[in-house]
Amino acid sequence: MDQYKEGQDNPFDAPIPGQGLTDTPGNYPWEHPPQFTDTSEAADYVWERMHRPEFAQRILAMLDAGIPVEAIGRIIVFNGFMEGKWTPDVAFIITEPIMKMIVAMGMKGGVENFRMSMEDITNNKDMQAITKIKLDNQEAKTAAKAATSVKKDIKKIENEGLMSKPKKEETE
């Protein structure tokens, strides 16, 4: 009888489409009215929280570790939405000011080099070294091709003198 037992990963053991619409509303914080609807109030709230000593130390440590400002800002904004502090549209509007707050904290906190975006690879020393090696390799190949072509031109010139008899191809 064990041979007919279903496996652990049953694709049919999932919620029915639309089942979430039948749950009791208000189970999650984002299903309630937000605490902040004004963007300036929401930004002030974040500013106050960011200046708590334990929070400020964490932000500076993350910036110093190379975590981009964009990633930290997105985490703060998404966390505020998950806690029911603001709606997604308010989150979208306050994202840029929050990132500017993080940059200001990093500059004031003495973080020398910090990444701005998640796609910013210019601060990564390994990526700079790889790019330099690739450029050096391409320059070497280009120089080798140029040297080969110059050698061929020199041989042509050596075989032909200024006063040499013209070849049949040149006269026709």
Side-chain angles (χ1 to χ4, degrees):
M1 290 255 178
D2 262 350
Q3 66 184 0
Y4 297 112
K5 187 177 180 182
E6 290 188 20
Q8 296 288 38
D9 297 327
N10 183 359
F12 298 108
D13 189 21
I16 299 169
Q19 184 175 349
L21 300 174
T22 62
D23 285 344
T24 308
N27 288 338
Y28 302 102
W30 61 84
E31 293 179 343
H32 297 286
Q35 184 176 347
F36 302 104
T37 55
D38 184 29
T39 56
S40 61
E41 289 177 6
D44 289 341
Y45 170 77
V46 173
W47 182 255
E48 293 299 321
R49 289 212 42 195
M50 284 175 56
H51 281 81
R52 292 182 185 166
E54 66 276 358
F55 200 74
Q57 288 175 351
R58 289 179 187 162
I59 289 177
L60 293 175
M62 286 189 280
L63 289 174
D64 200 31
I67 297 175
V69 172
E70 180 183 3
I72 299 169
R74 286 181 183 219
I75 290 169
I76 292 170
V77 168
F78 186 69
N79 190 37
F81 166 71
M82 293 291 292
E83 291 177 353
K85 301 293 182 191
W86 45 73
T87 59
D89 55 340
V90 171
F92 183 76
I93 294 170
I94 66 171
T95 299
E96 183 181 351
I98 288 175
M99 289 183 191
K100 289 180 181 180
M101 292 176 201
I102 295 168
V103 169
M105 284 186 72
M107 293 173 73
K108 191 71 172 174
V111 179
E112 293 179 16
N113 293 325
F114 51 86
R115 294 173 48 194
M116 291 301 295
S117 70
M118 292 184 272
E119 296 176 3
D120 182 16
I121 61 171
T122 57
N123 291 337
N124 191 338
K125 292 179 183 176
D126 296 331
M127 291 305 288
Q128 288 176 350
I130 290 170
T131 304
K132 186 176 180 343
I133 290 170
K134 285 184 178 180
L135 289 175
D136 291 345
N137 191 17
Q138 289 174 349
E139 289 173 2
K141 286 180 182 178
T142 305
K145 287 180 183 177
T148 305
S149 110
V150 168
K151 284 181 184 178
K152 288 179 183 177
D153 291 343
I154 290 174
K155 285 186 180 181
K156 268 187 184 177
I157 293 171
E158 286 176 353
N159 291 340
E160 301 174 1
L162 182 62
M163 301 298 290
S164 65
K165 185 176 176 182
K167 295 181 182 177
K168 291 182 183 180
E169 300 165 1
E170 293 177 3
T171 57
E172 293 176 354

